[in-house]
Amino acid sequence: MRIFFLLCFSLILYACPNGNAQAPSSIPDTYQLLFEHTFEEAASVSDFEMTDPSAWRIQQKEGNHSLELFGASQYKPAVRSPRNIAFIKAHQFEDFVMEVKLAQTGKEYGHRDMCLFFGMKDASNFYYVHMATKADPHAHNIFLVNDEPRVAIAEKTTDGIDWGEVGQWHSIRLERKVSEGVIRVFFDDMDTPIMTAKDTHFGAGYLGFGSFDDTGMIDNIKIWGPKVATRKYGFF
């Protein structure tokens, strides 16, 4: 019975138990597939905690399902930071490589964005990547939220990115090594990062998706790493 319980727990903890069987060659040999999500199950939205659940839904288009942020979240953060967040509520991640498909569904303007969240400790302590059309002091950067309004920490960034047509999918990759403080972000081109940073404020934390105040879609999440941290509970 004890062996059976441990086996079941392992299958739940690691959403795909196949280890590195399907991992790209760029994934370290010591990493395994810790989490995978395609949103094809009707109840898949329950795997996430949101700042405002009423702003999110499972969208179906041309036979494919995705998680859609379709409205403004009725949420006001304690410090200046994004309002629209959905994070994986079951686990916290330390070192990881995450690949995900993102699509922007809002109008074109300088701050047209989608965001990735990581190292999340609570509602006022986390990192996030802001990917926007044009870079400025408050857009298209890696940000630290540490009990005060967000601060840009990227050592390298670009002038911006092209989200393209409404609903156009893009491949995004986020890498983190906690002990070294390394953070790297890739957009469509998986060889050259669009942003890099080094910071060690936070260790293991939740991973999430969303936008500062735009709309968009998330699909095909894959997260590799050496381990996941102890399960905790949400905070919104």
Side-chain angles (χ1 to χ4, degrees):
M1 180 63 70
R2 183 173 181 273
I3 294 175
F4 176 77
F5 173 79
L6 290 174
L7 177 60
C8 290
F9 179 78
S10 177
L11 291 176
I12 294 170
L13 184 61
Y14 302 108
C16 177
N18 295 323
N20 268 356
Q22 298 177 339
S25 59
S26 55
I27 302 298
D29 291 339
T30 56
Y31 284 20
Q32 57 187 311
L33 185 57
L34 302 176
F35 184 88
E36 182 176 14
H37 216 310
T38 61
F39 301 100
E40 295 304 320
E41 298 296 330
S44 57
V45 72
S46 65
D47 293 329
F48 296 80
E49 180 171 335
M50 290 86 166
T51 49
D52 181 357
S54 67
W56 298 82
R57 65 189 175 194
I58 299 297
Q59 172 69 281
Q60 180 179 2
K61 186 176 182 180
E62 298 178 354
N64 179 66
H65 294 79
S66 62
L67 178 62
E68 182 184 19
L69 168 63
F70 67 94
S73 296
Q74 299 305 303
Y75 167 74
K76 185 177 181 179
V79 296
R80 180 71 171 163
S81 56
R83 296 182 299 156
N84 306 288
I85 305 172
F87 69 86
I88 302 165
K89 67 183 183 181
H91 312 297
Q92 295 188 337
F93 299 86
E94 195 168 6
D95 292 358
F96 65 84
V97 173
M98 177 171 69
E99 294 187 352
V100 61
K101 296 286 189 180
L102 298 180
Q104 228 284 344
T105 57
K107 66 182 186 299
E108 183 58 79
Y109 72 112
H111 282 200
R112 186 189 188 199
D113 79 277
M114 289 290 284
C115 297
L116 300 177
F117 302 84
F118 59 103
M120 297 182 73
K121 311 305 277 185
D122 56 45
S124 298
N125 292 272
F126 55 88
Y127 300 102
Y128 73 95
V129 177
H130 186 271
M131 293 167 285
T133 301
K134 293 184 179 180
D136 65 34
H138 304 297
H140 196 65
N141 208 303
I142 300 170
F143 291 89
L144 169 69
V145 180
N146 188 22
D147 284 325
E148 61 182 6
R150 82 279 201 228
V151 175
I153 61 171
E155 297 177 332
K156 168 196 171 181
T157 187
T158 60
D159 293 334
I161 48 111
D162 181 10
W163 286 107
E165 299 295 326
V166 170
Q168 179 179 334
W169 289 103
H170 297 276
S171 298
I172 315 298
R173 179 179 173 117
L174 173 61
E175 300 177 353
R176 187 180 186 211
K177 293 184 179 180
V178 172
S179 61
E180 302 172 23
V182 173
I183 303 165
R184 302 204 305 167
V185 185
F186 301 79
F187 185 90
D188 285 336
D189 176 359
M190 297 296 113
D191 294 322
T192 306
I194 61 168
M195 301 179 199
T196 62
K198 280 194 175 183
D199 192 273
T200 57
H201 273 84
F202 305 130
Y206 295 106
L207 281 171
F209 314 87
S211 172
F212 206 104
D213 41 26
D214 282 330
T215 56
M217 298 183 292
I218 299 99
D219 202 3
N220 295 342
I221 304 166
K222 289 187 176 182
I223 304 169
W224 294 269
K227 62 179 180 179
V228 288
T230 304
R231 174 175 177 164
K232 296 188 178 181
Y233 295 94
F235 39 81
F236 293 124

